[in-house]
Amino acid sequence: MKMTKPDPKTIKNFPLDNPKAGIVCERGNLYVCERQHFWNPETKKKSESRLYIGRIVDGVYYSMEQYRRKFKRDGSLRTIERPKARPYRRKTAENNQAQETAATASTEQSTPSALQTKRIGATTLFIEIAKQIGLWEDLCLTWGEAACRAACSLASHWLMTAKNASYLYESWSQNYLLPFPRTITAKEVTEFFAELGGCAGWEKTFFGARIQRMGEDEIFSYDATNIATKAYEIKDAQYGKSKDGGYRRQIGMSVLFGHNSQMPAMFRIFPGNIADVSTVADLLTRVDLIDEGRVIAAVLDRGYFSLENLGECVDAGHKVLIAAKMDVGWVKDAAEQVLSDLWDARTRLRGCTIWGKTVQKEMKFADGKKRTLWVHVFRDEMTSHTANQQLFDEIEAFENQWKAADYANEQTVKALRQSQTLKYFMQPKGDPGTCSLERNYDAINVASRYFGFFASVSTMPCDAQTAIETYHNRDNIEKCFKAGKSDINMDAVRSHSDATMKGRFIVSFCALTILCELRRRMRRPYFEMGSKGEVKHKLPPLADEMTFGALLNYLDSVKVSYGNKPEDIRLEEVTNKQQMIAKRLGCPGVFDAVPDYARTA
């Protein structure tokens, strides 16, 4: 049946001010084009050329650019509208409203049947936390409202199930009320990842927004890890050495983690065949490019300790604190300078059983330049005692074995002669069991000289007390990586293109940010305040009562149900304990009514 051309006046947004614009029908689709007529000297006939300027879908005119951003090639609606690359800036309320309207119009939700129920539980807490920490706003700023809804919905799935396979989301989401209302198939999830990772300039916009939310005095921990993949289409997937010593196809990922905020600030993907130690200066320089003027203060693990890294950080103006290796010559020299002082009460550090003192050193680097570093040398009383106890237990046990060797077999006697413990004794005058051993106290003193000693090096002046307090906070990034691999399944990549891989990591970053903030809130005590500001009641941290998994299970019974109309949606019964859990996590009232995104989606 032939399609009837509609009246342009009935088409929404039709360019009526363009007299050349006309509607044509081709292969069942309505196009808008500008017709131009000319005389063709070859055919000696009047000919026509067309300039296609737009398409009509469901009574709405879209320019060709708008159509490509909103629809796929087959005419189906995209999961998210392709955004334009936009400069990094805060959106005005007017822009926010316009984008929310467009996002709402681009998503369609099937009408739920009467008495249908959907779970909200912990997913509502995830969304509320994302809004409180500004993650929701930063996602909207970078990719738009619809993409923000989809990313937070996927992140909720990963947090609830600890599984991030794309095909699992479609069936799981049927039972949950989520910010993105329309069901997303596995294919659409993959396309969504590609659109996230393929958006131009997202790193500066998104990471810039996240870093700006952190204070100017924020200190960052840096760490990197390798993630296995079998994808050959990903350029950064290269064969590299894994943690267990073998070789595998992998990509590298480094993360900056804020000490004060206790949240990840940004990440970077690098080839899997590049050593982690060489990636430090690059990521810190990226922060300078993203947030100009910010002076970075970062804490690094012993694995990144090298003069080359220290020199690059000094030249770039980065404030870096790195755990040092005690077997390095110039670190030993610094330890020798303060050795006698580390038993003095003046060097005892507050809040720990550690003595410490700082040495300023002028170091000559491989490029011939001299740079100033500060070496912080520490002595741990407990570690020193334990190490000495183990050493003398080993020496005494060896002496007993040597003395009783005349009753041992030949294999045991041979093992005693070749034992490394013999270095703590003078050269024996006979075979095991035939003579006594004499201790070499000089060798014992050399071996135990630095028991309990450790050191760190900074590129900026600070005292030993500040250095030890700063480094103690570094374990937060280790917990962050552990949570990402165990709770969000980030230990493997199942993507097969660079853009899809980046998009997947963006959603992982969002889930990890929400998870870190939720765990931080679980670790803090709850104070119930009175009307005059006094503390009426104090409760211990929620983490003392339940694990993260137990929290998810307990809140999973919170549901909403639908009536005869889509707007007839109500919250079902919520227990007092569930309400109290929300309060203790800093989300009071989140279970008082149906989530706001259920009304606006």
Side-chain angles (χ1 to χ4, degrees), residues 365-526:
F365 286 71
D367 57 3
K369 294 181 180 180
K370 288 187 176 181
R371 299 174 178 87
T372 304
L373 300 174
W374 286 262
V375 184
H376 313 282
V377 184
F378 306 96
R379 182 178 70 88
D380 187 335
E381 182 87 355
M382 301 294 290
T383 304
S384 176
H385 170 74
T386 302
N388 274 288
Q389 186 67 45
Q390 291 176 348
L391 174 63
F392 282 97
D393 286 347
E394 178 187 350
I395 290 174
E396 291 171 8
F398 187 83
E399 288 174 332
N400 294 331
Q401 292 173 4
W402 183 277
K403 185 177 181 180
D406 54 343
Y407 302 106
N409 56 37
E410 183 178 349
Q411 184 176 5
T412 303
V413 171
K414 184 179 179 180
L416 289 171
R417 289 198 196 101
Q418 297 176 350
S419 174
Q420 292 295 319
T421 311
L422 265 178
K423 64 184 177 182
Y424 300 122
F425 300 92
M426 298 297 186
Q427 182 68 31
K429 299 177 180 179
D431 291 332
T434 64
C435 65
S436 298
L437 290 175
E438 182 182 354
R439 293 184 182 181
N440 185 343
Y441 288 103
D442 290 336
I444 294 174
N445 288 334
V446 170
S448 61
R449 186 173 183 81
Y450 298 111
F451 278 175
F453 278 70
F454 60 97
S456 62
V457 179
S458 64
T459 60
M460 70 290 185
C462 68
D463 57 18
Q465 182 74 48
T466 302
I468 197 67
E469 290 176 353
T470 302
Y471 196 81
H472 274 172
N473 289 324
R474 197 195 171 278
D475 65 336
N476 288 327
I477 194 171
E478 300 291 346
K479 295 175 182 176
C480 175
F481 268 119
K482 185 178 180 180
K485 292 185 175 183
S486 61
D487 295 334
I488 315 177
N489 198 209
M490 287 174 57
D491 55 348
V493 174
R494 301 175 181 87
S495 304
H496 291 277
S497 72
D498 289 315
T500 305
M501 174 198 65
K502 290 180 181 178
R504 177 179 285 275
F505 277 122
I506 290 168
V507 177
S508 297
F509 179 86
C510 295
L512 195 58
T513 301
I514 296 171
L515 178 62
C516 288
E517 176 63 12
L518 181 62
R519 288 188 181 278
R520 184 187 71 82
R521 297 185 182 193
M522 289 182 68
R523 292 193 297 268
R524 68 185 184 187
Y526 173 74

Side-chain angles (χ1 to χ4, degrees), residues 536-560:
K536 291 176 58 179
H537 191 51
K538 178 184 176 181
L539 292 177
L542 196 60
D544 293 348
E545 300 179 13
M546 60 180 68
T547 63
F548 175 67
L551 174 72
L552 301 184
N553 291 335
Y554 195 83
L555 295 179
D556 207 31
S557 62
V558 183
K559 302 177 184 177
V560 296

Side-chain angles (χ1 to χ4, degrees), residues 319-340:
K319 295 181 178 180
V320 172
L321 177 68
I322 308 182
K325 298 177 181 178
M326 285 299 300
D327 58 352
V328 176
W330 57 274
V331 177
K332 276 188 177 181
D333 290 342
E336 288 295 332
Q337 293 181 38
V338 298
L339 193 65
S340 59

